Amino acid sequence: MSSKFIVRGGNRLGGKVKVGGAKNSALKLMAAALLTEETTVLTNAPLITDVRTMAAVLERLGASVRYSEPDVVEIKPSYPLYAEAPYELVSQMRASIIVLGPLLARLGRARVAMPGGCNIGSRKIDMHIRGLEVLGARIEVGHGFIEAYSEKLVANKIVLDYPSVGATENLLMAATLAEGVTVIENAAREPEVADLAKFLNKMGAKIEGAGSSTIQIEGVNKLHGVEYMVMPDRIEAGTFLVAGAITGGDVIIEDTIPGHLELVINKLRSIGSIVEVYKTEIRIIGSDSIHAVDIATLPYPGFPTDLQTQFMALLAIAGGTSIITENIFENRFMFVGELNRMGSDVRTEGRHAVIRGVPSLSGAPVKAPDLRGGAALAVAGLAAEGVTEVSDIHHIDRGYQNFEHKLRMLGADIERVGE
Ligand code: UD1
């Protein structure tokens, strides 16, 4: 039997919760460790399933990966490295595609299975491929694999059609060892991209402008091993903020960077919560009456798609009608059917969801369809009447470390059963 969360709703959350290292940064830093033969040590690394999957990918490529509790990952990509990332691993996690750029830059070739991963839309990789071609790589796609070759990558100007996070990061890593100065325009501005650039610069890369839409990378011959602390996870922080708001609680999120959540905090205030911002902490005091608001997801600094489902759970019990527009991934409404089983009134039409607030949700058996949708269902359960059973929680474990434990510390009635 696979595990489930049993959530008994109705408790107001209170107290302090520490946020871990960012999944979406840690995975890229691990891949970037392939760019040197020296040892990389990551601290504040979240020990979640996706990090373990990336570790398995790196091990398959010939690196050794060691964890030490509570949050240290040590990577040594000893020589020789293999250039092939197999389907059995890449299919578990789409983000594995991020090894393409580093492998190509370091070995001059890479063979990476076409990704599967989170079941949220078609998620193409054309911009990764086109960008690497602009840097001089020869790429063939066929038989379920992407094969890339290049004796030496040569710097160039790359203009992305869209500020894709993964494409920006793959190209950023590849360009660190290319000959000359690469410029990426219309680059993704997510804080995780800036974190990756900071890490690469510590390794000896010469990158300017990461975090803005133009990034300049002067190629170097060699990078070296470093110790680096992964930035805090803004999506985990946002999820606990919603858990505080939906239960009318009083929660302090610790070890976070409030500046990464500006728009999210504004929305919580519009919804009626009181939010106090400190240097590395955010306090949320939820209100008993939740106001309806409209939300549109957009690339950073816009509203993050990774918090869209959690906010929908919150708006499900608002006094009024809200509209959520999902502009990033076409299939991120998959959890709506499950949420409606808990008594919400949500209708979707293409990219739009119309959420008519109901007075309360009712506990029900539901299935986590994906990572963020699963977390949102557990959060909805905190505010629902009666018992919510969330199954398929392996999706939630991909991105949240000790999720139920942290919620329990805040006073939630949630337990994991089965294994
Ligand atoms: C990353 C995050 C994910 C987050 C997303 C958007 C990781 C591991 N995942 O995903 O949690 O939700 O950013 O903030 O960091 N696209 C193309 N062609 C491409 C690349 C992307 O069409 O070559 C499209 C995708 O299908 C999608 C959109 O662009 O519709 C955004 O994708 P992208 O920004 O690349 O997200 P990921 O890097 O996959």
Side-chain angles (χ1 to χ4, degrees):
M1 186 175 99
S2 77
S3 312
K4 284 182 186 175
F5 283 149
I6 308 287
V7 190
R8 291 179 187 82
N11 292 4
R12 281 180 196 269
L13 301 195
K16 295 185 169 186
V17 61
K18 273 191 204 304
V19 161
K23 166 176 97 71
N24 288 352
S25 178
L27 295 175
K28 319 308 166 63
L29 303 184
M30 291 174 77
L34 293 170
L35 288 164
T36 171
E37 59 202 26
E38 294 174 15
T39 301
T40 295
V41 178
L42 298 178
T43 59
N44 199 35
L47 299 185
I48 48 179
T49 321
D50 270 9
V51 163
R52 292 182 191 279
T53 305
M54 184 56 87
V57 172
L58 297 184
E59 279 169 347
R60 185 60 78 88
L61 295 170
S64 73
V65 184
R66 251 188 26 212
Y67 304 97
S68 37
E69 293 290 337
D71 60 10
V72 180
V73 177
E74 196 177 315
I75 301 156
K76 189 165 171 44
S78 40
Y79 201 75
L81 280 182
Y82 303 101
E84 176 163 330
Y87 183 60
E88 74 200 67
L89 288 172
V90 178
S91 64
Q92 285 174 36
M93 186 181 68
R94 181 185 186 279
S96 316
I97 188 71
I98 209 68
V99 298
L100 187 63
L103 280 178
L104 187 60
R106 173 96 189 278
L107 302 177
R109 67 199 162 85
R111 187 167 191 267
V112 179
M114 299 281 285
C118 223
N119 194 14
I120 47 169
S122 56
R123 298 194 120 184
K124 297 185 218 92
I125 48 167
D126 51 313
M127 284 185 271
H128 301 237
I129 292 174
R130 228 176 301 133
L132 291 172
E133 282 173 342
V134 173
L135 295 179
R138 192 156 51 80
I139 298 189
E140 285 162 23
V141 179
H143 306 287
F145 277 85
I146 304 157
E147 298 204 45
Y149 310 89
S150 160
E151 293 237 321
K152 178 84 190 154
L153 292 170
V154 180
N156 207 336
K157 177 171 157 178
I158 304 165
V159 184
L160 294 176
D161 286 351
Y162 174 93
S164 152
V165 175
T168 302
E169 293 169 333
N170 236 335
L171 298 171
L172 178 61
M173 288 192 272
T176 56
L177 296 178
E179 211 173 275
V181 179
T182 296
V183 177
I184 306 175
E185 286 194 351
N186 199 20
R189 290 181 282 165
E190 268 67 6
E192 292 77 14
V193 175
D195 203 40
L196 173 62
K198 200 168 146 201
F199 169 76
L200 291 166
N201 280 342
K202 198 169 178 191
M203 291 173 87
K206 292 188 175 159
I207 303 165
E208 280 174 23
S212 78
S213 48
T214 303
I215 305 178
Q216 190 167 307
I217 308 121
E218 186 182 335
V220 296
N221 285 330
K222 211 172 150 59
L223 296 175
H224 54 82
V226 292
E227 184 175 324
Y228 189 82
M229 190 170 121
V230 180
M231 64 172 266
D233 196 310
R234 62 196 167 99
I235 305 304
E236 188 191 4
T239 304
F240 285 116
L241 286 172
V242 172
I246 203 171
T247 61
D250 181 353
V251 173
I252 294 174
I253 320 288
E254 297 181 309
D255 293 354
T256 183
I257 301 178
H260 292 168
L261 287 156
E262 222 163 281
L263 209 50
V264 171
I265 289 169
N266 288 347
K267 285 292 172 194
L268 286 165
R269 287 181 174 145
S270 310
I271 283 168
S273 297
I274 296 169
V275 186
E276 295 170 6
V277 172
Y278 303 94
K279 198 158 172 253
T280 58
E281 291 179 356
I282 307 170
R283 178 180 181 193
I284 182 150
I285 304 169
S287 143
D288 284 338
S289 64
I290 293 168
H291 308 308
V293 294
D294 294 343
I295 291 175
T297 65
L298 283 171
Y300 189 85
F303 191 92
T305 174
D306 288 350
L307 286 172
Q308 181 261 108
T309 52
Q310 297 88 320
F311 269 74
M312 192 185 289
L314 179 56
L315 294 173
I317 52 169
T321 299
S322 311
I323 295 176
I324 292 184
T325 305
E326 172 55 62
N327 290 308
I328 315 286
F329 292 113
E330 65 221 41
N331 261 352
R332 277 222 170 158
F333 288 147
M334 284 198 315
F335 97 122
V336 167
E338 299 300 300
L339 190 66
N340 282 345
R341 302 189 65 250
M342 298 177 70
S344 65
D345 180 355
V346 183
R347 284 180 217 182
T348 58
E349 176 70 50
R351 294 173 172 273
H352 306 288
V354 177
I355 303 123
R356 292 195 177 85
V358 295
S360 65
L361 296 173
S362 67
V366 287
K367 234 183 210 172
D370 54 37
L371 165 55
R372 304 303 170 187
L377 290 168
V379 166
L382 299 174
E385 282 170 9
V387 179
T388 298
E389 271 186 44
V390 187
S391 55
D392 283 0
I393 60 171
H394 59 274
H395 288 297
I396 302 175
D397 292 334
R398 286 186 47 196
Y400 294 87
Q401 187 176 0
N402 295 331
F403 191 49
E404 75 278 21
H405 178 72
K406 288 184 178 181
L407 286 170
R408 258 204 318 273
M409 297 291 284
L410 294 173
D413 188 343
I414 176 169
E415 58 181 328
R416 180 185 292 256
V417 296
E419 197 61 74

